[in-house]
């Protein structure tokens, strides 16, 4: 595999808010269907088979590194693995999309959720994948992850994705505030335990996906979600650095200002330099090329857009290059290659 001696250092330096010669780069869902070698692996194991077989999970995580030389590998799993560990498994619908055959639907379901420490046993396959991936990649950063409590609760109560805007979940939050906070406390403890386990296996940083942040009513993000993210961060402790993904969050980033995350990862619709002041003084920013451009644009356009983002952040430092959302199955390989080269050649 191509060596990149300084990838890990570069990533950790940018994550600490430092100025780096160029930003480190990885992309969300970098192991995914846009890669022919991933499609072949999935043909053999199925998605859940890849996730639960450490050799296959490590292979998936390594594929995009081998092909493009990203600076970071993200553990190959899914945010819903934790839902499964708590008794609510996930499945794939035939026509695409994801659903939970059984959802949380009563106060009893909340009371009977298992204690947080079950995650160590139920998700030992994730621990094994991380240890193997860490050993394979001494020179690159290894990133672990979990859903944020709000985002995981939304899936577990809704029983599926965002097709109808998490209507059931929104009703539940509004009508049953006590049950909601009991659920969030339990889920937050499980998430903290899960991330602690990942830290012990040698990850360099963890990303908390609050992909459903924008489903909180305006002005309510801190109360309904952010405060629980903060609880998770406190539960994990300060030893390993964190990135909080908020997705497209309109002009609401200041609602997340009290969260003491080392970095914030944001959707494609904002200019990074303009939202920098929304967060704690030296928080790093991650993002935020529009993933759609990788489907629609030419390599030359990708290079130009990527350079705009890097120039915008250069005066500040603390920039980790990524997309504003997950890479899509239709992303073109030549565009991804052009993107990685543009970032790696920046500043030369
Ligand atoms: O980034 C990576 O490469 C690491 C692995 C990873 C996956 N999912 C693999 C995956 C990570 C970090 C996730 C996070 C995740 N999963 C999120 C948060 C990020 C976001 O997109 O907002 C969410 C909401 C999920 C839940 C989930 N899992 C959805 C909505 C889907 C898509 C269903 C579909 O039909 O496309 C998944 C499946 C999934 N997780 C895939 C991958 C590569 C696609 C499965 C496939 O191979 O077909």
């Amino acid at each position: 595999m191509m060596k990149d001696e300084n990838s890990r250092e570069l990533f950790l330096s940018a994550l600490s808010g430092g100025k780096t010669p160029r930003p480190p780069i990885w992309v969300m869902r970098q192991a995914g269907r846009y890669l022919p070698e991933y499609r072949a692996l999935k043909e053999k194991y199925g998605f859940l088979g890849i996730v639960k077989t450490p050799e296959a999970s490590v292979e998936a995580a390594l594929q995009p590194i081998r092909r493009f030389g990203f600076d970071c590998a993200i553990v190959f799993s899914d945010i819903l693995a934790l839902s499964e560990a708590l008794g609510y498994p996930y499945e794939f619908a035939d026509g695409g999309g994801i659903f939970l055959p059984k959802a949380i639907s009563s106060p009893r379901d909340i009371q009977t959720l298992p204690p947080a420490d079950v995650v160590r046993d139920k998700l030992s396959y994730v621990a094994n994948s991380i240890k193997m991936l860490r050993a394979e990649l001494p020179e690159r950063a290894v990133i672990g992850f979990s859903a944020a409590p709000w985002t995981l609760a939304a899936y577990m109560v809704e029983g599926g994705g965002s097709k109808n805007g998490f209507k059931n979940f929104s009703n539940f939050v509004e009508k049953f505030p006590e049950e909601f906070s009991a659920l969030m406390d339990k889920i937050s403890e499980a998430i903290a335990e899960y991330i602690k386990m990942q830290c012990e296996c040698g990850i360099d940083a963890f990303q908390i996906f609050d992909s459903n942040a924008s489903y909180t009513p305006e002005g309510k993000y801190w109360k309904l979600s952010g405060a629980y993210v903060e609880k998770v961060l406190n539960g994990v402790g300060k030893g390993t650095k964190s990135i909080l993904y908020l997705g497209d969050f309109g002009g609401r980033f200041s609602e997340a200002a009290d969260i003491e995350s080392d970095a914030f990862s944001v959707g494609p619709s904002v200019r990074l330099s303009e939202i920098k002041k929304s967060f704690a003084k030296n928080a790093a920013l991650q993002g935020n090329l529009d993933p759609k451009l990788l489907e629609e644009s030419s390599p030359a356009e990708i290079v130009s857009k990527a350079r705009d983002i890097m120039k915008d952040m250069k005066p500040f430092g603390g920039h980790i290059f990524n997309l504003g959302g997950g890479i899509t199955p239709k992303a073109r390989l030549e565009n991804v290659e052009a993107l990685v080269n543009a970032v790696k050649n920046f500043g030369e």
Side-chain angles (χ1 to χ4, degrees):
M1 189 174 299
M2 193 175 74
K3 286 219 165 149
D4 244 321
E5 307 285 350
N6 64 349
S7 283
R8 200 172 170 187
E9 265 171 60
L10 193 66
F11 172 75
L12 288 171
S13 167
L15 189 48
S16 304
K19 289 199 174 168
T20 52
R22 63 155 177 100
I25 177 170
W26 67 284
V27 304
M28 290 184 268
R29 298 270 178 98
Q30 61 191 19
R33 282 168 288 181
Y34 74 107
L35 287 178
E37 57 271 35
Y38 172 80
R39 295 196 296 270
L41 191 69
K42 192 175 153 184
E43 196 67 28
K44 185 168 170 203
Y45 287 91
F47 177 77
L48 294 176
I50 303 178
V51 167
K52 292 181 182 180
T53 311
E55 291 75 15
S57 164
V58 169
E59 172 59 22
L62 292 176
Q63 285 175 340
I65 313 286
R66 267 191 216 120
R67 186 184 273 266
F68 299 114
F70 288 115
D71 294 302
C72 311
I74 179 157
V75 177
F76 193 86
S77 175
D78 195 85
I79 60 165
L80 297 172
L82 182 54
S83 167
E84 177 168 287
L86 297 176
Y88 294 83
Y90 59 116
E91 290 178 12
F92 287 85
D94 287 337
I98 217 159
F99 73 102
L100 281 60
K102 184 177 73 156
I104 288 180
S105 63
S106 70
R108 204 188 133 71
D109 287 344
I110 296 168
Q111 281 155 21
T112 55
L113 279 171
D117 60 10
V118 300
V119 305
R120 288 186 178 260
D121 175 39
K122 291 269 163 71
L123 297 173
S124 59
Y125 62 86
V126 177
N128 292 332
S129 298
I130 294 174
K131 286 183 216 157
M132 282 174 65
L133 184 59
R134 172 79 286 166
E136 287 280 339
L137 286 179
E139 283 122 10
R140 315 239 175 187
V142 172
I143 301 172
F145 69 89
S146 169
W150 167 263
T151 287
L152 191 62
Y155 279 100
M156 291 176 76
V157 171
E158 193 71 31
S162 55
K163 285 208 177 79
N164 69 353
F166 292 103
K167 276 268 156 55
N168 296 329
F169 181 58
S170 299
N171 287 339
F172 166 78
V173 173
E174 203 178 306
K175 295 207 178 106
F176 305 105
E178 276 171 35
E179 285 81 1
F180 170 75
S181 80
L183 174 64
M184 292 291 280
D185 283 337
K186 285 208 165 183
I187 288 182
S188 302
E189 279 172 31
I191 289 172
E193 196 62 31
Y194 183 37
I195 295 174
K196 267 196 258 177
M197 178 187 85
Q198 296 183 43
C199 295
E200 289 159 20
C201 296
I203 55 169
D204 292 294
F206 57 91
Q207 178 153 320
I208 295 182
F209 285 90
D210 209 352
S211 308
N212 297 337
S214 66
Y215 289 99
T216 53
E218 184 104 37
K220 294 263 169 70
Y221 177 74
W222 169 256
K223 181 163 190 270
L224 296 177
S225 180
Y228 297 95
V229 172
E230 187 63 15
K231 217 177 234 189
V232 168
L233 292 175
N234 286 329
V236 174
K238 296 257 184 258
T240 308
K241 291 202 180 294
S242 59
I243 304 167
L244 175 61
Y245 175 68
L246 291 165
D248 261 322
F249 203 30
R252 299 177 55 192
F253 290 105
S254 59
E255 291 186 42
D258 290 338
I259 301 174
E260 292 169 285
S261 181
D262 296 291
F264 294 85
S265 185
V266 303
S269 67
V270 291
R271 226 176 142 68
L272 295 180
S273 62
E274 282 172 15
I275 59 159
K276 183 113 177 69
K277 59 185 173 307
S278 310
F279 303 111
K281 206 163 153 240
N282 211 25
L285 290 184
Q286 179 176 275
N288 70 339
L289 188 80
D290 190 339
K292 280 221 183 67
L293 292 176
L294 296 175
E295 299 179 355
E296 296 161 356
S297 297
S298 65
E301 284 174 277
I302 297 295
V303 171
S304 153
K305 295 272 195 232
R307 289 184 63 86
D308 282 348
I309 293 171
M310 291 188 284
K311 280 188 218 151
D312 178 49
M313 279 301 285
K314 192 167 167 69
F316 302 99
H319 180 212
I320 299 158
F321 203 100
N322 206 309
L323 305 179
I327 190 167
T328 59
K330 287 200 194 120
R332 289 161 56 183
L333 298 170
E334 67 266 35
N335 283 343
V336 180
E337 194 180 334
L339 171 63
V340 175
N341 289 335
V343 175
K344 291 205 165 175
N345 296 331
F346 186 70
E348 275 178 11

